[in-house]
Amino acid sequence: MLQSVKRVSSLYQIAFICGLIVVNGVNEVTSVEFYAEKPAFLPSCKIYEPGFTKCSTNTVQKLIDQLIIGIPEVVEEFGPFDPIRVHDIYFKQDNSDVATIRANLSDILVKGFSKTVIKESRVSKKDFSWITKIFLPKMRLDANYKMEGRILLIPLKGSGKMYIEIDNLDIILYTKTQLYEKAGFTFDNVTAVRVDLNMTRVRTNFENIFNGQSKEVERSTNEFFNENWRDFYEALKPIIIETVETVLYDIMHKVFELIPANFFVEDIPTSEQLYGTKNNSSK
Ligand SMILES: *[C@@H]1O[C@H](CO)[C@@H](O)[C@H](O)[C@H]1NC(C)=O
Ligand SMILES: *[C@@H]1O[C@H](CO)[C@@H](O)[C@H](O)[C@H]1NC(C)=O
Ligand SMILES: *[C@@H]1O[C@H](CO)[C@@H](O)[C@H](O)[C@H]1NC(C)=O
């Protein structure tokens, strides 16, 4: 069973990222708590009119394009969008057919989100959760790793640098939200994300995968993993899924704190209208 020991470290490494921004002298931006006016880059849509999904797909793409250019309040919190820094991931998987591993990743850098294509953005009229179909031509994760366990029957114990490179990544992103009111606007509180992934190829390399044993064995093991990438991916899947979910959750949570839901969906009901209660904290 997979047990994800996540968020043991501080959720956001803000201090570190802000430090970098200050050092780089990009701290002239005056950040706001939220946007009281609709940003010019964002076309809004009406959910109770025909063609909403097409409109919404375009709106989400425009949002992504702006994240790539840089939304100051998001950059301030997370640094650049591509490559993006991700907080440490601790992870443990036992008793699976393909792997028993414990792995820690640190200094994680994920590249590829600047080529994000939004294929479809559906919003549920029932609870305003979303299903978003996303395509990335390439995603690459670089990190320092520490790993112990067994993958495809090969016992591993090592630490060092690693990367995972994924070609043609299809993501289906399931987002749960809760509406709430603030300052006369309706906001989305992004409460959970889940992703489903497909890809055409995974390439990996783990340096020092046997703690300094022969380079030749290290090379042939990495080669073996790449030749059997579908099985190897099954073993690594929880790490990859967690990384993608972490990036998307952190960014979306921030973006929807910043931009009222009204600017995405003009005719969105208020939380009171949707949940039928003045107490907007639950359904
Ligand atoms: C991962 O980090 C945790 C917490 O620091 C530690 O207890 C664990 O032994 C580490 N795992 C590996 C495989 O290094
Ligand atoms: C991945 O492929 C399976 C089987 O074809 C499909 O059911 C699933 O929706 C696909 N997921 C994504 C993210 O494309
Ligand atoms: C968002 O949801 C989380 C988890 O349910 C909750 O703790 C938090 O207070 C909510 N935030 C707002 C602004 O409603």
Side-chain angles (χ1 to χ4, degrees):
M1 288 313 307
L2 161 73
Q3 283 173 30
S4 205
V5 193
K6 60 177 143 182
R7 304 202 163 107
V8 179
S9 67
S10 62
L11 185 55
Y12 308 115
Q13 296 167 325
I14 305 168
F16 174 59
I17 291 165
C18 287
L20 281 184
I21 290 170
V22 173
V23 169
N24 292 337
V26 196
N27 61 336
E28 297 127 34
V29 290
T30 42
S31 58
V32 295
E33 195 201 336
F34 68 89
Y35 290 2
E37 267 176 54
K38 189 167 85 71
F41 64 80
L42 204 68
S44 53
C45 305
K46 291 192 171 140
I47 196 165
Y48 298 108
E49 284 186 2
F52 173 78
T53 296
K54 191 159 176 261
C55 180
S56 165
T57 302
N58 175 53
T59 297
V60 176
Q61 183 70 57
K62 291 290 190 299
L63 172 65
I64 296 289
D65 295 347
Q66 192 63 33
L67 280 168
I68 295 159
I69 295 167
I71 295 177
E73 291 78 9
V74 178
V75 175
E76 192 182 342
E77 190 155 333
F78 300 104
F81 190 55
D82 191 7
I84 187 164
R85 273 196 183 277
V86 180
H87 60 75
D88 296 1
I89 292 175
Y90 297 158
F91 138 107
K92 200 167 147 179
Q93 173 172 287
D94 290 319
N95 309 326
S96 129
D97 290 341
V98 285
T100 300
I101 47 175
R102 277 180 295 141
N104 292 345
L105 304 186
S106 57
D107 296 318
I108 308 170
L109 205 57
V110 180
K111 270 188 221 143
F113 281 99
S114 66
K115 297 280 180 349
T116 300
V117 178
I118 303 298
K119 288 163 70 178
E120 190 181 272
S121 158
R122 289 189 174 276
V123 179
S124 154
K125 289 194 185 90
K126 200 164 134 267
D127 61 2
F128 285 82
S129 59
W130 318 315
I131 299 178
T132 318
K133 292 188 179 162
I134 300 170
F135 175 74
L136 298 187
K138 191 162 252 162
M139 189 183 104
R140 179 176 162 125
L141 179 155
D142 283 273
N144 287 322
Y145 80 96
K146 235 175 139 169
M147 183 159 73
E148 240 179 83
R150 204 161 35 75
I151 300 181
L152 307 179
L153 301 177
I154 300 174
L156 306 170
K157 185 177 164 66
S159 64
K161 290 196 181 307
M162 59 83 81
Y163 70 76
I164 304 174
E165 219 171 59
I166 301 174
D167 289 348
N168 299 313
L169 179 61
D170 274 307
I171 305 174
I172 301 181
L173 167 66
Y174 302 89
T175 310
K176 292 265 173 247
T177 73
Q178 209 168 51
L179 302 187
Y180 67 99
E181 305 304 307
K182 191 165 78 180
F185 293 103
T186 300
F187 284 82
D188 284 301
N189 184 5
V190 173
T191 51
V193 301
R194 189 170 64 75
V195 299
D196 179 28
L197 307 178
N198 283 333
M199 70 279 300
T200 59
R201 174 90 210 191
V202 177
R203 252 173 262 105
T204 56
N205 191 61
F206 289 82
E207 280 177 16
N208 194 38
I209 196 160
F210 298 110
N211 257 344
Q213 272 188 32
S214 102
K215 282 279 159 213
E216 183 50 33
V217 177
E218 183 182 314
R219 196 191 55 75
S220 60
T221 304
N222 277 301
E223 201 168 276
F224 174 76
F225 287 153
N226 285 321
E227 276 161 11
N228 297 279
W229 72 267
R230 280 199 186 274
D231 293 329
F232 190 60
Y233 168 69
E234 283 306 311
L236 285 185
K237 198 170 165 180
I239 297 187
I240 296 173
I241 287 198
E242 171 148 359
T243 304
V244 173
E245 285 177 350
T246 299
V247 170
L248 294 174
Y249 175 86
D250 286 357
I251 293 283
M252 285 199 298
H253 196 85
K254 178 70 195 174
V255 163
F256 290 96
E257 244 172 40
L258 193 65
I259 307 179
N262 311 87
F263 297 158
F264 292 90
V265 180
E266 266 178 62
D267 53 355
I268 197 166
T270 63
S271 53
E272 201 179 319
Q273 286 164 344
L274 186 66
Y275 306 131
T277 159
K278 255 202 143 40
N279 171 4
N280 63 24
S281 63
S282 68
K283 287 181 208 180

